[in-house]
């Protein structure tokens, strides 16, 4: 296990578990925590042994309660923009990781915490999870992608309501509007995420990487270009031994032994 001051990182087989652990501030993202996340995401991206990532918060109260308000209080316009820039670098490093990422949302996911969760591929929440973009209560707007990623996930009308009212919603409502994939008992959260992560890591690693990349990049294109792009990416699969093995194993009625080559 590697640990910095505010973030822990451990490998459980082919799954990396990253825990933001700053309980005294409900895991709020200050400059140091963002930098630590950046280091771990870089390390994970380069590590071909890691096939999936789980991101969660330390303690039983919060996933992440936002960007650190104590840190932001004294910022001027330039420092504010720089802080948001760092936040964006971290969120896009997370979004662009080679491996799928599951957010195990174990409590408050507010402001920068909600933005962190929506930069992950999949969100699973415990029953006590709460989501919101309360920035307008503080006289600011979301700065780590909330105005952009939230409407892309839950649609413009629902995102506008959350962004303009600053309302917090519970896990059931988050599930109803498609912000989370499922809601489970708190004690089932990590086991559920681990089961899903292990299922993902049992598939062809190159296919999982290309699947993530193709969905993510294609969503930013028009449908015609996106489908042509998918065809090119599909073609790439046929240059891999995973494709040969996957199809051969099917025809021989046995489990595939993928190598990630
Ligand atoms: N930044 C810094 N410290 C925070 C924090 C944050 N975002 N959220 C909580 N804390 C601290 C509190 O100040 C408190 O510290 P002390 O014990 O030293 O007083 C500690 O964590 C525990 O919090 P509370 O006593 O407030 O706990 P609670 O159970 O009464 O309330 C809460 C929980 C509703 C989450 C409340 O803490 C809260 O509203 N937090 C702020 C949420 C927020 O506004 N987040 C958005 C931040 S702005 C942002 O994220 C901008 C962006 O997009 C980049």
């Amino acid at each position: 296990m590697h640990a910095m001051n505010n973030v822990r990182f451990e490998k459980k087989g082919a799954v990396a578990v990253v825990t933001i652990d700053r309980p005294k501030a409900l895991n709020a993202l200050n400059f140091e925590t963002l930098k630590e996340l950046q280091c771990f995401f870089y390390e994970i991206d380069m590590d071909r042994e890691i096939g999936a990532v789980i991101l969660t918060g330390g303690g039983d109260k919060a996933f992440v309660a936002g960007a650190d308000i104590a840190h932001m209080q004294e910022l001027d316009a330039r420092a504010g923009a720089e802080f948001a820039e760092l936040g964006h670098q971290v969120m896009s490093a997370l979004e662009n990781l080679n491996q799928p990422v599951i957010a195990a949302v174990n409590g408050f996911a507010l402001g920068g915490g909600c933005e962190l969760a929506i930069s992950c591929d999949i969100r699973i929440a415990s029953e006590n999870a709460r989501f919101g973009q309360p920035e307008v209560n503080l006289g600011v707007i979301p700065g780590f992608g909330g105005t952009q990623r939230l409407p892309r996930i839950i649609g413009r009308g629902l995102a506008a309501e959350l962004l303009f009212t600053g309302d917090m919603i519970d896990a059931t409502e988050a599930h109803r509007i498609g912000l989370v994939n499922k809601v489970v008992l708190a004690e089932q959260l990590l086991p559920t995420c681990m089961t899903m992560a292990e299922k993902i890591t049992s598939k062809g690693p190159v296919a999982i990487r290309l699947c993530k990349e193709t969905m993510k990049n294609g969503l930013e294109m028009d449908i015609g270009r996106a489908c042509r792009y998918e065809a090119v990416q599909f073609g790439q699969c046929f240059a891999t031994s995973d494709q040969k093995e996957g199809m051969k194993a099917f025809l021989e009625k046995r489990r595939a032994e993928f190598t990630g080559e």
Side-chain angles (χ1 to χ4, degrees):
M1 184 195 321
H2 316 289
M4 298 212 199
N5 288 333
N6 308 302
V7 183
R8 287 185 279 124
F9 165 50
E10 57 193 309
K11 279 200 220 176
K12 293 186 175 168
V15 180
V17 180
V18 177
T19 308
I20 299 162
D21 201 6
R22 238 194 121 208
K24 64 179 185 330
L26 300 185
N27 306 327
L29 301 173
N30 59 1
F31 185 83
E32 190 186 33
T33 307
L34 287 168
K35 282 288 190 190
E36 291 180 11
L37 283 171
Q38 202 170 32
C39 284
F40 282 136
F41 292 157
Y42 180 76
E43 201 176 310
I44 289 169
D45 200 48
M46 296 290 143
D47 189 337
R48 286 300 165 102
E49 283 175 8
I50 298 174
V53 181
I54 296 173
L55 180 63
T56 194
D60 53 10
K61 203 171 158 187
F63 174 69
V64 167
D68 191 301
I69 300 168
H71 171 76
M72 289 184 294
Q73 186 193 6
E74 299 296 341
L75 301 182
D76 61 16
R78 183 175 170 169
E82 281 171 4
F83 187 55
E85 189 48 49
L86 172 62
H88 275 292
Q89 281 176 21
V90 174
M91 302 301 149
S92 73
L94 175 60
E95 187 173 60
N96 291 310
L97 276 183
N98 280 316
Q99 303 88 345
V101 185
I102 303 172
V105 184
N106 57 316
F108 292 111
L110 302 175
C114 187
E115 292 167 303
L116 191 70
I118 60 180
S119 302
C120 298
D121 298 294
I122 293 166
R123 284 154 293 285
I124 300 184
S126 60
E127 284 182 323
N128 63 322
R130 298 283 178 278
F131 296 82
Q133 295 288 162
E135 285 86 349
V136 290
N137 295 329
L138 303 165
V140 296
I141 68 169
F144 296 171
T147 62
Q148 304 308 310
R149 289 194 181 91
L150 197 60
R152 283 168 166 82
I153 293 173
I154 62 172
R156 189 167 164 171
L158 288 165
E161 183 178 338
L162 286 179
L163 292 166
F164 301 162
T165 63
D167 280 351
M168 239 192 264
I169 57 170
D170 64 15
T172 310
E173 177 66 358
H175 185 229
R176 192 186 69 79
I177 65 175
L179 183 54
V180 303
N181 293 41
K182 62 172 104 180
V183 181
V184 297
L185 295 172
E187 60 269 25
Q188 284 304 316
L189 182 63
L190 284 177
T192 305
C193 292
M194 189 53 82
T195 302
M196 189 184 282
E198 282 170 348
K199 183 182 273 188
I200 293 169
T201 60
S202 74
K203 313 295 176 189
V206 183
I208 294 293
R209 197 168 68 243
L210 287 174
C211 231
K212 172 167 174 170
E213 188 180 287
T214 309
M215 180 169 74
K216 184 172 52 67
N217 293 339
L219 277 169
E220 304 302 321
M221 301 174 191
D222 67 74
I223 185 78
R225 270 187 60 214
C227 288
R228 283 197 297 281
Y229 169 63
E230 188 195 68
V232 173
Q233 296 282 86
F234 181 74
Q236 293 284 321
C237 299
F238 291 79
T240 68
S241 17
D242 280 359
Q243 174 268 329
K244 303 281 177 279
E245 166 62 10
M247 295 192 178
K248 191 164 182 275
F250 175 82
L251 295 171
E252 291 172 0
K253 303 192 191 307
R254 60 172 174 83
R255 255 179 98 88
E257 304 272 350
F258 293 118
T259 57
E261 304 288 321

